[in-house]
Amino acid sequence: MKKYTYTESKDTRSGFGAGLLEAGKQNENVVALCADLIGSLKMNDFIKAFPERFFQIGIAEANMMGIAAGLTIGGKIPFTGTFANFSTGRVYDQIRQSIAYSDKNVKICASHAGLTLGEDGATHQILEDIGLMKMLPGMTVINPCDFNQTKAATMAIANYEGPVYLRFGRPVVPNFTPADQTFEIGKAVMLNEGTDVTIIATGHLVWEAIQAGEELEKLGINAEIINIHTIKPLDEDAVLKSVTKTGCVVTAEEHNRLGGLGDSVAQLLATKKPSPQEFVAVNDSFGESGTPAQLMEKYGLNAKSIVAAARKVIARK
């Protein structure tokens, strides 16, 4: 088992803020819009550097999406910022009609995704956003795992032509990927090669998958661990190659088991490589108030659950 270490924990939303600033430095067409959540989206440094390229829309998320779509007509590359719940569910019609259907070059950047929004509870958490966004034709869906990868992803989507949904979070998590990494949209990252079971994880569950791999090693199980940061387009070759070797798969995500990464993997395997699969995800329910750690434990989004799922799916081979 390849060992991964980290020297600090950082929130992925700060990775977005750092990446937005760098993207702004590299391309004068990058602009930012926010729905009254500048601090939460870590946009302050961008605003300080480029005040004329920032638009405070206020608590009017639908209007923000329409303005962003309009800005693309003049050649701008708009990054919208608000909570994931308000970036998707509240404005789905505007995204569908004005951005996706029209193939506008808007970057929908969504913080506080999943359960780990924490104490604000179910009304502000969202566990359906990946499903909502990946169903839109032409929409790219990205869910990076740590600060460094989120920063790299933010910079990469500025150079990508087309609508993108970029999902990140509020809690601090281990920052273990390289600071100088090149982010390749649609390209999975192999974290550990193995032979007994494939573990495919995304977002905050990637580090948990690494921890699970170490525990499985103690049990004599050699896990192959893959970081799927781009859920759409899915790196089908990486998934099929791995599952062909191991014969079974566990998917892990901070999302409803319906409509997320696990669904995408299951659809691929059903049509090209039928294989046993277990899901580590929220089992079709809303969240609730609690600390991120408490919620991840209660809803089974941790290394312990991944280990259990791996042992179960291996027994099904």
Side-chain angles (χ1 to χ4, degrees):
M1 174 72 190
K2 185 177 179 180
K3 302 301 179 184
Y4 288 86
T5 60
Y6 64 97
T7 57
E8 62 180 346
S9 292
K10 302 178 76 172
D11 51 321
T12 50
R13 59 177 173 159
S14 289
F16 164 69
L20 180 63
L21 176 62
E22 292 303 313
K25 291 177 180 177
Q26 295 174 9
N27 191 330
E28 63 181 10
N29 284 320
V30 169
V31 298
L33 303 83
C34 191
D36 202 32
L37 287 168
I38 292 170
S40 294
L41 270 290
K42 304 299 182 180
M43 288 181 160
N44 303 79
D45 289 342
F46 180 90
I47 296 168
K48 184 177 180 180
F50 310 109
E52 75 286 356
R53 287 155 57 184
F54 172 76
F55 304 92
Q56 174 59 276
I57 308 302
I59 306 175
E61 294 85 356
N63 194 32
M64 179 171 68
M65 295 302 171
I67 292 171
L71 285 166
T72 66
I73 297 172
K76 302 302 180 185
I77 306 170
F79 283 66
T80 67
T82 186
F83 289 180
N85 197 5
F86 310 144
S87 289
T88 56
R90 178 171 289 182
V91 293
Y92 195 73
D93 182 56
Q94 284 71 29
I95 292 174
R96 183 184 187 274
Q97 304 298 93
S98 298
I99 296 174
Y101 178 66
S102 305
D103 195 32
K104 293 293 192 295
N105 191 31
V106 175
K107 316 307 173 185
I108 302 165
C109 303
S111 183
H112 295 58
L115 286 173
T116 49
L117 172 54
E119 291 85 349
D120 288 356
T123 58
H124 283 58
Q125 298 160 352
I126 190 164
L127 296 164
E128 316 91 64
D129 55 315
I130 290 173
L132 288 170
M133 291 296 103
K134 79 175 188 179
M135 285 191 295
L136 290 170
M139 182 68 71
T140 294
V141 179
I142 297 174
N143 187 39
C145 67
D146 68 0
F147 174 96
N148 286 339
Q149 192 169 75
T150 307
K151 179 181 178 181
T154 305
M155 295 165 64
I157 65 174
N159 298 318
Y160 173 82
E161 183 69 29
V164 175
Y165 179 62
L166 178 65
R167 183 189 206 246
F168 42 94
R170 169 182 174 181
V172 295
V173 294
N175 186 33
F176 65 95
T177 66
D180 59 350
Q181 66 189 276
T182 298
F183 188 91
E184 295 184 61
I185 295 172
K187 186 68 173 177
V189 178
M190 178 65 72
L191 296 175
N192 186 72
E193 294 193 19
T195 56
D196 298 329
V197 59
T198 299
I199 300 175
I200 297 175
T202 188
H204 293 151
L205 270 291
V206 173
W207 181 255
E208 297 297 323
I210 291 171
Q211 300 304 296
E214 294 182 358
E215 291 301 312
L216 289 166
E217 183 181 39
K218 297 175 184 176
L219 300 172
I221 296 171
N222 187 6
E224 182 146 294
I225 303 172
I226 301 174
N227 172 8
I228 294 283
H229 52 65
T230 305
I231 295 171
K232 183 186 176 186
L234 182 69
D235 190 341
E236 295 186 355
D237 290 342
V239 174
L240 291 172
K241 181 180 179 180
S242 180
V243 177
T244 297
K245 176 171 58 172
T246 65
C248 60
V249 61
V250 173
T251 52
E253 59 192 310
E254 187 186 345
H255 190 270
N256 193 334
R257 64 179 294 165
L258 304 176
L261 169 65
D263 260 7
S264 292
V265 171
Q267 183 177 180
L268 171 64
L269 296 178
T271 55
K272 296 187 177 180
K273 183 68 180 177
S275 307
Q277 178 177 348
E278 291 292 330
F279 300 76
V280 173
V282 176
N283 190 21
D284 194 25
S285 72
F286 291 102
E288 60 186 295
S289 297
T291 67
Q294 288 172 333
L295 294 170
M296 295 289 269
E297 174 69 23
K298 177 171 181 177
Y299 289 86
L301 306 181
N302 53 26
K304 179 173 66 176
S305 296
I306 296 172
V307 169
R311 299 181 71 179
K312 183 178 181 180
V313 81
I314 288 171
R316 294 174 54 203
K317 284 201 287 185

